[in-house]
Amino acid sequence: MKFPLALLLLQIVFCNEGFAQNPFWEKIKNQPITLDLESGMENYTLEKLKFSILKSSQTLSALKLKDDTAFDYTPDELLGYRARDNFYHLGDINLTIRPQGDSSWSRFSSAQTRRNIKPLMTTGNILAVADMAPTLNDIPLQVIRSWEQDNGDLVLRFTITNITRKAYEIGALGIPMIFNNNMDWKSLDSAHADNVFFDPYIGKDAGYLQVNRLHGNGPSLLVLPQENAGFEAYRPLNDDPTPRSITFEGFHEWLIHSKALTQTAWKGVKQWNDPTSEVLDPGETKSYALKLVLAPSIREIEKELLTQGQPVAIGAPGYLIPQDNPAKLFIKYTQKVKRIDVYPTGSVSVKQLGSTSGKWLSYKVTGNKWGRSRLTITYEDERTQSIHYKVIKSEQRIVGDLGHFLTNEQWYDNPNDVFGRSPSVITYDYETKSHVTEHQNAWFAGLSDEAGAASWLAAIMKQLVQPDPQEINKLKEFAAQTMFGRIQHKEGRDKFGVVKSLFYYEPDSLPTGTYSDSINYETWGAWSKKEASDVGRSYNYPHVAAAHWVLYRLARNYSQLVTEETWQTYLERAFQTGVAMVEKAPHYAQFGQMEGSIFLFILMDLKKEGLLDQASKLEGLMKERALHWKTLNYPFGSEMPWDSTGQEEVYLWSRYFGFDQKAAVTLNAILAYVPAIPHWGYNGSARRYWDFVYGGKLARIERQLHHYGSALNAIPLLTAYRDNPADFYLLRVGHAGMMGALANVTQDGFAPGAFHSYPSTLANDGITGDYGSGFYGYAVNSGTYIIKHPEFGWLAFSGNLSETGGKIRVDITTASRARVFLAEQQLWVTLDAGQLKSLEYDPETTKVRLTLSASKESYAENTLLKIGQNSGYKVKGYKKNAQGYFVIPSEVKSVLLVKSN
């Protein structure tokens, strides 16, 4: 769901007036300053970093690159505002303790009541050191904090001593990670100059935090465990008063121990790692340290981790394991593996395969039981590393379950619906097992906007992947009766315009009882009929265009599935929807759209069908938009101050029109917020943290795991990979993002908007939300990728690979079984009808054999096969038709692909 215009205007006002005009900060100014800034700061220069600490608190006040001092990793522009109690800074600590044997915990925070610390004498590599007792409110333990250098890198250390005669248990120990992810009142240019994103690998002793600049260029700052500082949990610092918003996700802390939280705030929630605590006997001392280092680039994070002596894991294809498609895991560390524990027991099977020439240990990981699974690797030096998997059904079964759920449980058939929403696939509440037919936010129940259109969009996109006649029959009713004519105007002044919502709030104009008394309709989202009927929001148009396009594909490529209208009619409607978006919603159409890639697909099909006048008009309209983006440094604007959805369309059109520099800028920005991390929830998960507010049931600002942005951003990532097949990193994050569309689908086929990352929840959201935009990304982009990696050998992503006598065979396991990329030959095979069973490749002769499925399994009379332009392959014995297909009769079970002379 996007941002309402009224709130956007408010945001712009704040941007122009600055921090000082924000009512929150105006109020804060009346609070006493307790962090003494006037005493000044101490400045230090290391090999690659420059940093400053306040003399009064010895917390960090600046952290800069040695060769780029204009940029600061800390929220420096807010330092004066945040110089008060309860605001966290890098260098603070949170401790929850109790005397051993007691049942209740006591919490101490260096940020809660600011008092100047006691500086101590420095020695050796210690740059600054202090006793934190004054600012820890009479804590019964001694806490000494020191800033140190280690081979030119910065180390933050806390040394804790039990100075009492009792044993004390440390039940929670957290170090706030305060970096500048606050984009309040920033333009896109200033945000990309000033701000960062940070992502956690909650991997115990192998864990780390990566901090990337928004533009994705330059070094990546890594926070690593240096001593006794395993990354056990990741807590949002909601007790920091800095207001969270669509431009500020909030700060988080690195938790070394979390037992106390699992007994209180997180009680009953299964955490990523088992909670721990530490008992300090009288007189006992323990040191906890983190190190800050720089990796040369995002792609070189793992290389730097190895340089720093950290255990490194690389999953191929990743950490979502379909039950029919085992994964490989590669581990490298200086110490031998002592043991690998699996939790829950039997959830996955791990088999060692040997080691590579570069001394990476290789394992086969097979998914056995649906759900979350954790590997805990213990090394000979007793360091532990946790790797977080999720076992899912096969891609084919998940998509089948999804289609069934959408067109049955979510099917809404009520001819008396006063809002004209029947028949349809409507928003669904999984917790109450009910349709959402009214809501204080109109779009939830109104079949348009992301959280309203998402379910029917997913149901229709599913037919592109796995056509099902029964489901299609229902969806044809929806398209003919509800979508075209109600959601989209089919006549009159607003013909082809798309409304914001069919549901609206006007109790005086509708029968008594239409609206529930239990719902609060005194909100900005309770749109009137006039507002709900507005056609000026461009983001609603791609959903409808995609639906028309799928119906065109079904009518064109299958003779029996869609016959109510001609394929020409559906393609014309798709084309006209793209034109209407630009003409009827010009303000927002200047931005990249989620699912905006649909307009490129429509354009290519117009050209394929010889409809050159329509193609010329659509291409001209899209080029005007792309030329506008070409003038911008960071062309990722939207109705939001910052967004992660326009990049999909911006990249594809920039690439199409040859604006290579802008395409590169876009790709780098995507890589800044789509991490490669050994954790199914974060790996490939594009950053989004506000759509639980606009499309969720549990509404809060929170990092969403595999929101629709994951699969949408995978479109440019995998497109770029096919252009650059040596770039293994692009394949890893692109495939992970694509699979993110399936990550949270339940065993019975319900698809939520995203997974809640808060450790107090760690569960799916309870409503369908805006899921369908992500499934669109899977439907148009999923494929099997076959590569020969220089270190890891032959690998298949979404395929089962076997090697015999130097020849490669891959069984295709995607839901559609319709796309496969052989990286060594840059061979991209796609089927618009029919299915692939397997690909066999002989590297010596370069011949490729494709085994095809019987037509009755795919409802296709013929296999319609295309080969990308870069490979030089053709289908032996066949010629392309006028549309560029190799048309292969249904009785043919395999074809041979050979290089053209």
Side-chain angles (χ1 to χ4, degrees):
M1 181 61 206
K2 292 284 186 168
F3 198 49
L5 181 59
L7 293 185
L8 172 65
L9 295 175
L10 185 61
Q11 187 79 15
I12 293 172
V13 169
F14 284 166
C15 179
N16 292 335
E17 296 182 355
F19 289 111
Q21 301 302 314
N22 184 326
F24 173 81
W25 296 115
E26 281 291 302
K27 183 179 179 181
I28 285 292
K29 285 198 302 185
N30 297 323
Q31 297 182 11
I33 293 176
T34 54
L35 184 63
D36 179 7
L37 304 180
E38 294 184 358
S39 295
M41 60 188 69
E42 298 284 354
N43 302 314
Y44 302 89
T45 300
L46 301 177
E47 185 177 322
K48 298 178 182 178
L49 291 169
K50 299 179 72 172
F51 72 98
S52 303
I53 59 173
L54 297 173
K55 292 180 178 179
S56 60
S57 64
Q58 288 194 4
T59 54
L60 215 64
S61 56
L63 179 63
K64 300 184 177 185
L65 299 169
K66 191 174 179 180
D67 58 358
D68 183 6
T69 56
F71 164 71
D72 195 331
Y73 279 104
T74 73
D76 56 316
E77 66 267 42
L78 283 171
L79 182 60
Y81 293 96
R82 301 181 70 252
R84 292 163 171 85
D85 287 350
N86 297 311
F87 290 94
Y88 290 102
H89 299 267
L90 193 57
D92 278 319
I93 188 171
N94 291 321
L95 286 161
T96 302
I97 64 175
R98 66 185 177 188
Q100 189 176 24
D102 281 13
S103 59
S104 60
W105 298 96
S106 297
R107 184 174 183 272
F108 299 86
S109 172
S110 60
Q112 187 173 11
T113 305
R114 291 284 181 192
R115 298 186 183 91
N116 290 1
I117 46 76
K118 297 177 182 178
L120 302 174
M121 292 292 293
T122 61
T123 58
N125 289 329
I126 298 176
L127 304 173
V129 60
D131 187 336
M132 300 186 70
T135 195
L136 279 171
N137 298 322
D138 300 320
I139 190 172
L141 307 177
Q142 182 189 65
V143 182
I144 305 296
R145 179 191 53 221
S146 57
W147 295 97
E148 307 169 5
Q149 63 170 330
D150 178 18
N151 294 320
D153 295 320
L154 180 61
V155 172
L156 171 61
R157 182 183 303 276
F158 295 93
T159 303
I160 303 176
T161 303
N162 185 353
I163 56 177
T164 75
R165 296 182 180 180
K166 299 178 180 178
Y168 269 88
E169 182 180 11
I170 301 174
L173 195 166
I175 302 175
M177 297 284 101
I178 310 303
F179 299 108
N180 194 8
N181 61 335
N182 192 316
M183 294 180 283
D184 287 351
W185 311 288
K186 298 285 184 71
S187 67
L188 284 177
D189 281 10
S190 62
H192 282 77
D194 297 342
N195 292 115
V196 297
F197 295 126
F198 42 95
D199 284 299
Y201 169 32
I202 312 168
K204 299 291 287 182
D205 295 327
Y208 58 87
L209 192 77
Q210 64 180 51
V211 187
N212 299 327
R213 300 183 68 173
L214 264 63
H215 49 56
N217 296 312
S220 180
L221 179 69
L222 304 178
V223 183
L224 309 178
Q226 172 81 343
E227 183 181 356
N228 299 321
F231 202 165
E232 182 169 293
Y234 191 54
R235 184 178 81 91
L237 291 169
N238 292 338
D239 49 331
D240 185 301
T242 308
R244 293 174 299 125
S245 67
I246 57 164
T247 48
F248 178 53
E249 179 181 355
F251 300 121
H252 290 71
E253 75 174 336
W254 176 305
L255 277 163
I256 298 167
H257 298 301
S258 61
K259 176 182 174 180
L261 289 162
T262 63
Q263 292 182 351
T264 53
W266 306 345
K267 190 172 183 178
V269 178
K270 187 61 184 176
Q271 298 300 308
W272 298 123
N273 295 301
D274 289 337
T276 65
S277 64
E278 179 73 26
V279 175
L280 288 183
D281 292 325
E284 187 177 2
T285 295
K286 189 146 189 178
S287 179
Y288 303 87
L290 297 174
K291 179 192 277 191
L292 281 69
V293 306
L294 289 176
S297 69
I298 291 172
R299 284 179 173 85
E300 296 175 276
I301 287 174
E302 288 150 343
K303 182 180 178 181
E304 183 62 29
L305 292 172
L306 291 172
T307 300
Q308 294 292 333
Q310 291 288 108
V312 174
I314 293 179
Y319 310 95
L320 281 168
I321 308 182
Q323 290 174 321
D324 67 338
N325 191 191
K328 285 189 175 181
L329 175 66
F330 301 95
I331 298 288
K332 192 170 187 180
Y333 185 44
T334 56
Q335 301 287 316
K336 294 181 179 179
V337 172
K338 185 176 181 180
R339 68 177 184 274
I340 298 178
D341 297 312
V342 176
Y343 179 83
T345 301
S347 56
V348 299
S349 301
V350 182
K351 178 183 178 182
Q352 186 168 352
L353 301 175
S355 59
T356 70
S357 59
K359 298 183 179 179
W360 289 79
L361 296 179
S362 175
Y363 297 88
K364 179 181 180 180
V365 185
T366 303
N368 300 324
K369 299 178 182 178
W370 184 92
R372 285 166 50 184
S373 179
R374 181 181 69 236
L375 299 187
T376 301
I377 304 172
T378 303
Y379 296 98
E380 290 287 351
D381 61 0
E382 297 302 323
R383 292 185 73 173
T384 60
Q385 176 176 17
S386 58
I387 300 173
H388 303 275
Y389 284 98
K390 186 173 184 182
V391 179
I392 59 177
K393 294 182 180 181
S394 70
E395 294 180 50
Q396 295 170 21
R397 287 191 61 191
I398 289 174
V399 172
D401 292 343
L402 174 68
H404 184 271
F405 194 98
L406 288 163
T407 55
N408 286 276
E409 278 78 6
Q410 289 188 238
W411 185 248
Y412 180 63
D413 188 2
N414 177 13
N416 298 319
D417 183 74
V418 297
F419 301 102
R421 296 170 297 180
S422 174
S424 68
V425 180
I426 203 166
T427 302
Y428 190 80
D429 186 323
Y430 193 63
E431 295 174 354
T432 62
K433 300 293 188 291
S434 62
H435 297 140
V436 178
T437 56
E438 58 174 323
H439 197 278
Q440 63 183 12
N441 296 325
W443 58 88
F444 277 62
L447 299 182
S448 195
D449 269 27
E450 286 68 74
S455 290
W456 60 255
L457 174 65
I460 289 178
M461 296 310 303
K462 185 267 179 186
Q463 309 313 315
L464 182 72
V465 177
Q466 283 183 358
D468 181 283
Q470 291 182 330
E471 295 172 3
I472 291 171
N473 286 339
K474 287 186 174 182
L475 293 169
K476 287 188 293 187
E477 293 179 30
F478 160 74
Q481 299 177 39
T482 307
M483 186 185 77
F484 191 56
R486 296 177 187 168
I487 297 171
Q488 182 178 42
H489 291 279
K490 67 178 181 180
E491 57 190 5
R493 184 188 63 180
D494 288 329
K495 187 176 182 179
F496 296 112
V498 180
V499 304
K500 291 166 61 177
S501 173
L502 293 183
F503 180 75
Y504 54 86
Y505 183 67
E506 279 191 4
D508 293 340
S509 63
L510 293 172
T512 302
T514 298
Y515 303 101
S516 171
D517 294 337
S518 64
I519 295 177
N520 175 24
Y521 283 106
E522 298 298 320
T523 68
W524 64 268
W527 292 336
S528 66
K529 184 175 182 179
K530 179 180 179 181
E531 188 168 4
S533 300
D534 180 60
V535 297
R537 187 174 183 274
S538 62
Y539 299 99
N540 298 320
Y541 287 72
H543 315 324
V544 175
H548 290 311
W549 178 73
V550 170
L551 291 170
Y552 149 72
R553 286 284 184 115
L554 295 173
R556 181 65 163 125
N557 299 329
Y558 304 84
S559 64
Q560 300 299 322
L561 293 179
V562 175
T563 58
E564 287 73 12
E565 303 274 8
T566 65
W567 64 261
Q568 292 94 335
T569 297
Y570 291 119
L571 183 56
E572 175 71 13
R573 289 173 183 170
F575 157 70
Q576 292 290 358
T577 304
V579 172
M581 181 191 76
V582 178
E583 295 180 346
K584 299 182 185 303
H587 174 71
Y588 290 136
Q590 69 180 294
F591 305 125
Q593 312 288 298
M594 77 284 286
E595 309 142 44
S597 52
I598 189 61
F599 300 116
L600 179 58
F601 302 148
I602 293 167
L603 174 62
M604 301 310 292
D605 280 336
L606 290 170
K607 289 186 173 183
K608 178 191 73 177
E609 301 291 4
L611 301 174
L612 301 184
D613 289 342
Q614 292 95 321
S616 178
K617 181 172 183 177
L618 186 61
E619 184 174 77
L621 291 171
M622 298 302 150
K623 190 167 187 178
E624 287 182 20
R625 299 170 69 220
L627 285 169
H628 169 64
W629 300 332
K630 189 170 182 281
T631 67
L632 305 175
N633 291 324
Y634 301 101
F636 322 125
S638 79
E639 57 190 333
M640 307 295 269
W642 176 85
D643 211 336
S644 58
T645 54
Q647 287 84 344
E648 164 217 346
E649 188 186 15
V650 169
Y651 177 83
L652 288 187
W653 284 121
S654 297
R655 174 180 177 270
Y656 177 81
F657 289 118
F659 303 153
D660 295 340
Q661 189 271 341
K662 205 56 59 182
V665 167
T666 307
L667 190 69
N668 288 333
I670 293 171
L671 292 175
Y673 59 76
V674 180
I677 286 175
H679 190 302
W680 70 267
Y682 290 90
N683 191 46
S685 185
R687 179 164 246 90
R688 184 56 66 92
Y689 52 87
W690 60 80
D691 269 340
F692 281 142
V693 175
Y694 303 113
K697 185 172 185 181
L698 178 53
R700 63 188 176 201
I701 299 293
E702 171 187 11
R703 177 64 189 275
Q704 299 171 264
L705 300 186
H706 293 301
H707 173 270
Y708 70 70
S710 294
L712 288 187
N713 281 280
I715 295 174
L717 289 170
L718 289 177
T719 300
Y721 172 72
R722 294 192 296 272
D723 290 338
N724 305 276
D727 195 334
F728 186 49
Y729 189 87
L730 286 177
L731 174 60
R732 289 169 59 196
V733 292
H735 185 272
M738 178 268 290
M739 290 293 289
L742 308 183
N744 300 320
V745 178
T746 64
Q747 287 180 286
D748 58 351
F750 166 76
F755 188 93
H756 287 277
S757 66
Y758 269 21
S760 57
T761 307
L762 293 183
N764 280 345
D765 191 61
I767 206 168
T768 45
D770 44 21
Y771 169 81
S773 294
F775 187 76
Y776 164 92
Y778 178 86
V780 303
N781 193 43
S782 57
T784 297
Y785 289 80
I786 306 166
I787 72 166
K788 186 177 184 181
H789 189 272
E791 180 67 34
F792 303 140
W794 284 102
L795 300 171
F797 287 52
S798 288
N800 287 315
L801 185 146
S802 58
E803 186 175 358
T804 305
K807 297 180 180 179
I808 303 302
R809 174 189 168 97
V810 176
D811 294 323
I812 311 301
T813 60
T814 54
S816 66
R817 293 189 289 176
R819 306 182 192 100
V820 61
F821 183 70
L822 179 61
E824 188 167 84
Q825 297 294 338
Q826 210 164 350
L827 171 63
W828 181 227
V829 176
T830 60
L831 274 60
D832 282 358
Q835 291 183 339
L836 295 165
K837 280 189 174 180
S838 65
L839 177 147
E840 297 174 57
Y841 171 56
D842 186 341
E844 185 175 339
T845 66
T846 72
K847 292 180 180 179
V848 174
R849 181 166 294 278
L850 301 176
T851 302
L852 309 174
S853 290
S855 60
K856 66 179 181 180
E857 298 177 23
S858 61
Y859 305 102
E861 288 71 24
N862 298 299
T863 296
L864 303 179
L865 187 151
K866 281 190 174 182
I867 296 177
Q869 297 178 351
N870 297 327
S871 69
Y873 276 87
K874 64 179 181 180
V875 181
K876 187 176 181 180
Y878 294 88
K879 293 184 178 180
K880 293 180 184 178
N881 68 4
Q883 286 74 43
Y885 293 117
F886 293 98
V887 181
I888 301 166
S890 60
E891 62 269 16
V892 176
K893 304 307 178 187
S894 71
V895 293
L896 187 66
L897 276 54
V898 295
K899 286 274 193 178
S900 302
N901 294 328

